[in-house]
Amino acid sequence: MLRPAEQSSQTSVKVANDVPALSKLGIVVRFGRHETIFNQGDEAKYSYRLVSGAVRHSKFLVNGRRQIADFSLPGEYFGFQNDCEHSLTAEALSDVVVVRYPRSHVERLGEEVADVRRELMLNLRRELMMAQEHLVMLGRQSAKERVASFIVALANRVDAGNGDTITLPMGRQDIADYLGLTIETVCRAISDLKQCGVIKVPNRHELVLLRLDVLEALASGESDED
Amino acid sequence: MLRPAEQSSQTSVKVANDVPALSKLGIVVRFGRHETIFNQGDEAKYSYRLVSGAVRHSKFLVNGRRQIADFSLPGEYFGFQNDCEHSLTAEALSDVVVVRYPRSHVERLGEEVADVRRELMLNLRRELMMAQEHLVMLGRQSAKERVASFIVALANRVDAGNGDTITLPMGRQDIADYLGLTIETVCRAISDLKQCGVIKVPNRHELVLLRLDVLEALASGESDED
DNA sequence: CGCTTGCTTGAGTCTGATCAATGCTCGTGG
DNA sequence: CCACGAGCATTGATCAGACTCAAGCAAGCG
């Protein structure tokens, strides 16, 4: 199917519906599962919009520890935040299709078109706010609360409600590295939630929301619930 | 001395050296120690530049837990990140002098002047990168490493080196809430560092850097050091 | 079919939280 | 000027939640 090596089709596409002015600049590029899209420290030559698949954005410490800052889902932009070099490593969680924009063009468009500018600004602000929520999770929530928050956030992002099944495009280790936990702790928290009848887990990559209300209570730290 | 109630002198000032175009818009405002400058959820009517004192930016959870996202030191801007409502509560750590800019004017200037725009963008990016570093700390560093990181970051911000004395404008509880720890753990970590001869602590609000190299090693997670 | 890869569960340990007591500093009033 | 008290900071003892290490399990694939 998809080759691990980067394949580009030079067709311009109409996926950038949020920023129509951008659409003409992008080309489609594919990455295989676990391929690196760009590395922390790389010169930020391109920005991206994710068409399909999922991407993780992480930082690595000297001793091999990893912190995932964010996941990208289809329709979302990434790689816009830095002008000179990327501050995060972006890797494909699965086979991935992106639209790639040369940064220099994006930059110029930003200077010239007010709409693009506003959109870029808005994007940055959204990311900052998400990072702030993430800080609260890592700094002040228990393991179970973090896992609940994670599920609720994911559900909101794909607009899922009670009874709906959501897909987890990332593995347990990725969730752990996002939540600042170990894989075992994440597993146990998920098992707990399963036990309590709050979720169902038909398989590794799927999750059925049974009691979104309980999850939300846990996520916001209503400590008396178990 | 400074009254707790907000006092404004309607003189325009020349403090915004980074963004000269802004300087004419600002007025000087004072806040007393522990006064709230704005609350999470408040309409973002103003942006600020800190002239003197220090400010903490925090999020509160329902159960009273608090996560501090950032501190502002003299010369720094804050309250620019949101267009509609503030996502963080800003409080004066000490008596504080700020220059206050009406957001609507900032917004307009941003539309019209490329320099201002670039500066605003840069500011947002800086904040996002700081938040990402913060995430790593909270997610993947031990208590001692976090405290070391905190000290190193502060030292860098005020451009202090070995032998220099740095001022801690915040209390221990604030440090704890920034680092996602308890006040006791922060104290113990500081005591440890004192014990190892890495820092000296002449009093609550001052700290002498004796071995910045060791602090940096700890901060970056070179696990063999103690 | 057996191997690999990733997930789950269990047992024991350890780091950091909690609870409790004491110390220090500064400002206020006798 | 000293005594007192408020507000933090520090230190100690104990506890618990999350980590580590270790084993077993399920699914996918060559």
Side-chain angles (χ1 to χ4, degrees):
Chain A
M1 319 243 89
L2 296 167
R3 315 275 50 241
E6 166 178 321
Q7 283 194 327
S8 45
S9 62
Q10 290 278 352
T11 17
S12 88
V13 279
K14 40 99 197 66
V15 282
N17 45 26
D18 298 4
V19 187
L22 266 179
S23 62
K24 297 207 180 58
L25 298 174
I27 63 167
V28 169
V29 182
R30 294 163 193 283
F31 292 91
R33 177 175 146 87
H34 290 170
E35 238 189 304
T36 298
I37 300 172
F38 53 77
N39 264 299
Q40 175 177 1
D42 282 359
E43 187 198 352
K45 290 166 69 176
Y46 304 107
S47 299
Y48 304 83
R49 181 171 200 257
L50 185 57
V51 175
S52 71
V55 174
R56 71 176 170 227
H57 302 278
S58 24
K59 268 189 175 296
F60 293 90
L61 284 81
V62 288
N63 47 13
R65 285 179 279 187
R66 181 179 68 161
Q67 176 65 45
I68 295 182
D70 200 7
F71 297 102
S72 293
L73 299 183
E76 297 174 350
Y77 292 93
F78 63 91
F80 282 83
Q81 70 186 234
N82 284 97
D83 40 357
C84 42
E85 59 179 51
H86 292 294
S87 62
L88 299 168
T89 295
E91 295 157 301
L93 282 170
S94 53
D95 290 337
V96 143
V97 178
V98 300
V99 183
R100 195 179 71 185
Y101 309 98
R103 261 218 73 92
S104 53
H105 294 199
V106 174
E107 207 73 24
R108 185 144 37 78
L109 251 187
E111 291 298 332
E112 290 162 7
V113 185
D115 277 353
V116 175
R117 196 153 66 225
R118 250 189 295 277
E119 193 56 40
L120 288 174
M121 206 73 169
L122 203 60
N123 219 55
L124 257 179
R125 283 186 182 131
R126 250 197 301 264
E127 282 201 64
L128 185 55
M129 284 182 60
M130 281 182 57
Q132 287 167 355
E133 296 295 333
H134 198 174
L135 281 179
V136 172
M137 251 176 40
L138 299 192
R140 289 293 177 230
Q141 295 201 279
S142 71
K144 204 169 175 182
E145 288 169 349
R146 292 184 210 188
V147 171
S149 297
F150 176 74
I151 297 172
V152 169
L154 198 56
N156 287 338
R157 249 162 104 172
V158 300
D159 201 42
N162 254 330
D164 289 350
T165 299
I166 60 180
T167 301
L168 303 173
M170 68 296 285
R172 297 289 188 268
Q173 184 61 61
D174 293 319
I175 300 178
D177 285 345
Y178 179 78
L179 297 178
L181 299 170
T182 60
I183 187 172
E184 293 95 330
T185 302
V186 171
C187 270
R188 280 186 247 272
I190 292 177
S191 295
D192 272 17
L193 294 173
K194 213 165 48 178
Q195 215 70 42
C196 302
V198 174
I199 56 172
K200 236 184 326 191
V201 186
N203 64 64
R204 296 183 186 345
H205 289 295
E206 283 186 333
L207 191 149
V208 185
L209 304 168
L210 298 178
R211 299 286 308 277
L212 198 46
D213 55 327
V214 177
L215 282 175
E216 278 161 353
L218 270 170
S220 66
E222 325 248 301
S223 41
D224 49 283
E225 198 79 58
D226 200 23
Chain B
M1 322 241 89
L2 296 166
R3 312 274 53 240
E6 168 177 320
Q7 283 194 326
S8 44
S9 62
Q10 291 276 351
T11 15
S12 89
V13 279
K14 40 98 196 67
V15 284
N17 45 24
D18 298 4
V19 188
L22 267 180
S23 62
K24 296 208 180 58
L25 298 174
I27 63 166
V28 171
V29 182
R30 296 164 192 281
F31 293 90
R33 177 175 146 86
H34 291 169
E35 237 189 305
T36 298
I37 300 172
F38 53 77
N39 265 300
Q40 176 178 359
D42 281 0
E43 187 198 351
K45 290 167 70 177
Y46 303 108
S47 299
Y48 304 83
R49 180 171 201 256
L50 185 57
V51 175
S52 71
V55 174
R56 72 176 169 227
H57 302 277
S58 25
K59 268 190 175 295
F60 293 89
L61 283 82
V62 289
N63 47 14
R65 286 179 279 186
R66 180 179 71 162
Q67 176 65 46
I68 294 182
D70 200 7
F71 297 103
S72 294
L73 299 183
E76 296 174 350
Y77 292 92
F78 62 91
F80 283 82
Q81 70 185 236
N82 283 98
D83 40 356
C84 42
E85 58 178 51
H86 292 294
S87 62
L88 299 168
T89 295
E91 295 157 300
L93 282 170
S94 52
D95 290 337
V96 143
V97 178
V98 300
V99 182
R100 195 178 72 182
Y101 309 98
R103 259 219 74 91
S104 53
H105 294 198
V106 175
E107 207 73 25
R108 185 145 37 77
L109 250 188
E111 290 298 330
E112 289 162 8
V113 185
D115 277 353
V116 175
R117 197 153 65 224
R118 250 190 294 278
E119 192 58 39
L120 288 174
M121 207 71 168
L122 203 60
N123 219 55
L124 256 179
R125 283 187 181 130
R126 250 197 301 265
E127 281 201 64
L128 184 55
M129 285 183 58
M130 282 181 57
Q132 287 167 354
E133 295 296 334
H134 198 175
L135 282 179
V136 171
M137 251 175 41
L138 298 193
R140 287 294 177 231
Q141 295 201 279
S142 71
K144 203 169 174 181
E145 289 168 348
R146 292 184 210 188
V147 172
S149 298
F150 176 74
I151 297 172
V152 169
L154 199 56
N156 288 337
R157 250 163 105 172
V158 301
D159 199 42
N162 253 330
D164 289 351
T165 299
I166 59 179
T167 302
L168 303 173
M170 68 296 285
R172 296 292 188 268
Q173 184 61 60
D174 293 319
I175 299 177
D177 285 345
Y178 179 78
L179 297 177
L181 299 170
T182 59
I183 188 173
E184 293 95 331
T185 301
V186 171
C187 268
R188 280 186 248 272
I190 291 177
S191 296
D192 273 16
L193 295 173
K194 215 165 46 178
Q195 215 71 42
C196 303
V198 174
I199 56 172
K200 237 185 324 192
V201 186
N203 63 65
R204 295 183 186 347
H205 289 296
E206 282 186 334
L207 192 149
V208 184
L209 304 168
L210 299 178
R211 299 287 309 277
L212 198 46
D213 56 326
V214 177
L215 282 175
E216 278 162 354
L218 271 170
S220 67
E222 323 248 301
S223 42
D224 49 284
E225 199 80 57
D226 200 21

